[in-house]
Amino acid sequence: MRSIVRTAGVAAALSVALAACGSGGSGGGGSASAPAAAPSASAAVQDALSKPAELTFWTWVTGIEKTVARFQAKYPNIKVNVVNAGQSADQYTKLQTAIKAGSGAPDVAQIEYFALPQFALSKQVVNLADYGAAALKDKFAASAWSQVAINGGVYGVPQDTGPMAMFYRKDIFDKLKIKPPTTWAEFTEAARKIKADNPDAFITTIDPGDAGGVDSMIWQAGGTPFKTSGESSVSVTLASDPGVKQWVSTFSTLLSEKLVDPQPGWTDEWWKGMGSGKYVTWLTGAWAPNGIVNSIPKTKGKWAVAPMPQYDAAKPMNAENGGSSVAVIPQSKNIPAAVAFAEWLNSDPEAVKSLNTEAGLFPATKVLLDDPAFRDAPLDFFGGQKINQVLGDASTAVRPGWQYLPFQVYANSIFKDTVGQAIDGGGDLSAALKSWQDRITAFGTEQGFTLSGG
């Protein structure tokens, strides 16, 4: 089951001293073209597939072993050991420790998009452009590729994406004669109608510890509160960004009227609420169907999927929520083989179909996103709805230009102590975002970056 992006409980996550960095990163979402690789490097990657090698792959994706087995069947000279070293920030902490120690790191590692700029900036992952990876660009959705193309390099191969959508309880909407809201104003009115019918129900939840979820909501609102340029210039505008203000206005109303529940996600209590109809929608990434099907199977036939509500229906925008890349670690003794494995795993048609059907990941590749067999498949669990049409269109609608900080893992780890407290306790979201900005700015300055903001 694909997890939401979170880094809760990691107060000392991955500090990145500027002195340890070479060329800077774009902070993610970069669009610069990567330089072409030398022919010998590209050839070495292909040659590696026929030579004996042993690789270690750190990942927490359940079921990915089946896709890896397909690779090993096709290229029997390469043995791949799949290791779950922890999820998200737990893995990143172990990974950085091993990199600093000079031993113990894997050859290949899953790294979420929000964390990748941090590893790229500190040169803790290989620039795959040096091995010809730039040639893969046209295989991937633009929103996926933009998150691995950082400051002219390519620092991972996109594995999956999480374009946002609204998963909703169709049975409850039908009962209350609510049409899927197309704007946030309609969403708020639907929330009031749900609350009037059942005072114990909420239109959705918001997790006080999930910085990634709020980042995605701000992205979808048109916000760009994080920007990195050059080697060391970072801008943080959580207190003044217009998209942030749009999100604050909407969710301040929803929280003050108790129309959304500030509830940690993925707990037994949360899933119970999803199953009972206490929570009527889930605003999240396209990887969610696997979780719904496996965690609350008795709700089969009660769910449907619609596009995200919009702030301006005439200018629809979407965002990503979650998704990972697969990166190669410089410590590897078999870099060409590691690059070849990462590329095959995430771009070969057989592999990406396996990742979708056997590991439950939403595709990043055009070959699957554009495949009529994928888009037009009715899903019984969702009442026969062809949900991949909605989710594929959601991927196309993702707004370009979003960037993550070059120390986003740390920023996310302190979210719960600032914005999270306001969400949970009914506080002032604007003031809490300013507090988050101040702590982010202080940390970045300590690490040697030049911070600006407003």
Side-chain angles (χ1 to χ4, degrees):
M1 179 166 55
R2 184 75 180 94
S3 72
I4 56 177
V5 176
R6 76 173 60 241
T7 55
V10 189
L14 298 178
S15 64
V16 284
L18 190 61
C21 305
S23 61
S26 72
S31 59
S33 298
S40 59
S42 300
V45 171
Q46 293 304 310
D47 291 346
L49 292 169
S50 60
K51 297 178 180 179
E54 184 170 351
L55 304 174
T56 297
F57 175 31
W58 282 11
T59 178
W60 61 87
V61 174
T62 302
I64 202 169
E65 295 87 352
K66 296 177 181 178
T67 311
V68 172
R70 292 175 182 272
F71 172 82
Q72 292 183 126
K74 193 168 186 177
Y75 302 104
N77 287 322
I78 302 178
K79 179 182 179 182
V80 181
N81 302 305
V82 178
V83 176
N84 185 339
Q87 180 171 315
S88 195
D90 290 340
Q91 178 194 278
Y92 304 150
T93 300
K94 293 177 183 178
L95 180 58
Q96 191 182 47
T97 298
I99 291 171
K100 287 183 175 180
S103 63
D107 300 273
V108 187
Q110 174 188 353
I111 300 179
E112 291 158 292
Y113 297 126
F114 80 90
L116 188 61
Q118 188 158 304
F119 283 91
L121 179 63
S122 54
K123 294 190 175 182
Q124 294 179 329
V125 291
V126 171
N127 182 358
L128 302 181
D130 294 339
Y131 294 86
L136 298 174
K137 177 180 178 180
D138 290 341
K139 292 180 180 286
F140 292 93
S143 62
W145 190 258
S146 70
Q147 295 188 82
V148 299
I150 300 170
N151 204 39
V154 178
Y155 291 92
V157 183
Q159 180 163 88
D160 69 322
T161 57
M164 295 192 77
M166 183 178 71
F167 297 81
Y168 67 97
R169 287 289 298 266
K170 188 175 184 300
D171 57 328
I172 297 174
F173 271 42
D174 288 350
K175 172 190 169 186
L176 299 178
K177 294 181 171 54
I178 297 173
K179 293 181 179 180
T182 60
T183 65
W184 283 104
E186 290 177 0
F187 185 87
T188 302
E189 288 306 312
R192 289 169 176 148
K193 195 168 186 177
I194 290 166
K195 180 65 69 172
D197 176 72
N198 179 1
D200 295 327
F202 301 86
I203 195 167
T204 194
T205 62
I206 180 169
D207 187 338
D210 182 19
V214 170
D215 285 344
S216 295
M217 288 291 189
I218 290 172
W219 182 350
Q220 197 261 340
T224 52
F226 309 128
K227 294 180 181 178
T228 303
S229 60
E231 294 186 355
S232 60
S233 297
V234 178
S235 171
V236 183
T237 55
L238 288 162
S240 60
D241 181 271
V244 174
K245 290 184 176 181
Q246 284 211 100
W247 176 79
V248 167
S249 176
T250 297
F251 274 80
S252 292
T253 297
L254 292 168
L255 284 165
S256 66
E257 296 185 24
K258 301 189 184 306
L259 303 176
V260 300
D261 191 12
Q263 179 70 224
W266 300 89
T267 64
D268 289 344
E269 182 181 355
W270 182 80
W271 278 118
K272 183 179 178 181
M274 293 279 285
S276 69
K278 177 180 179 180
Y279 305 135
V280 182
T281 74
W282 188 13
L283 306 170
T284 192
W287 40 260
N290 199 41
I292 295 172
V293 170
N294 291 324
S295 299
I296 44 176
K298 292 183 179 180
T299 60
K300 180 179 179 180
K302 297 180 179 181
W303 289 91
V305 187
M308 285 287 289
Q310 297 294 318
Y311 288 93
D312 183 348
K315 299 177 181 179
M317 295 187 293
N318 202 20
E320 296 279 1
N321 179 238
S324 293
S325 66
V326 173
V328 175
I329 309 305
Q331 201 177 103
S332 173
K333 294 180 173 61
N334 296 294
I335 287 180
V339 174
F341 168 69
E343 291 184 351
W344 183 91
L345 182 70
N346 301 300
S347 66
D348 182 89
E350 176 188 356
V352 297
K353 184 176 181 180
S354 170
L355 290 173
N356 177 248
T357 59
E358 297 179 311
L361 301 184
F362 189 79
T365 56
K366 294 177 183 177
V367 68
L368 195 53
L369 286 169
D370 296 339
D371 184 355
F374 172 76
R375 286 183 58 88
D376 299 338
L379 271 70
D380 289 343
F381 191 93
F382 290 86
Q385 183 185 6
K386 299 174 182 178
I387 69 169
N388 287 331
Q389 292 182 354
V390 179
L391 301 177
D393 291 346
S395 178
T396 303
V398 172
R399 180 179 65 84
W402 176 267
Q403 292 188 16
Y404 288 110
L405 293 164
F407 41 88
Q408 192 73 45
V409 177
Y410 171 80
N412 286 7
S413 75
I414 61 170
F415 173 87
K416 66 183 183 301
D417 299 323
T418 53
V419 184
Q421 288 189 358
I423 290 171
D424 196 29
D428 185 332
L429 290 178
S430 294
L433 284 159
K434 179 61 165 62
S435 177
W436 192 28
Q437 174 175 313
D438 290 344
R439 290 186 61 178
I440 289 170
T441 299
F443 177 83
T445 301
E446 290 172 0
Q447 300 305 311
F449 294 93
T450 300
L451 272 291
S452 63

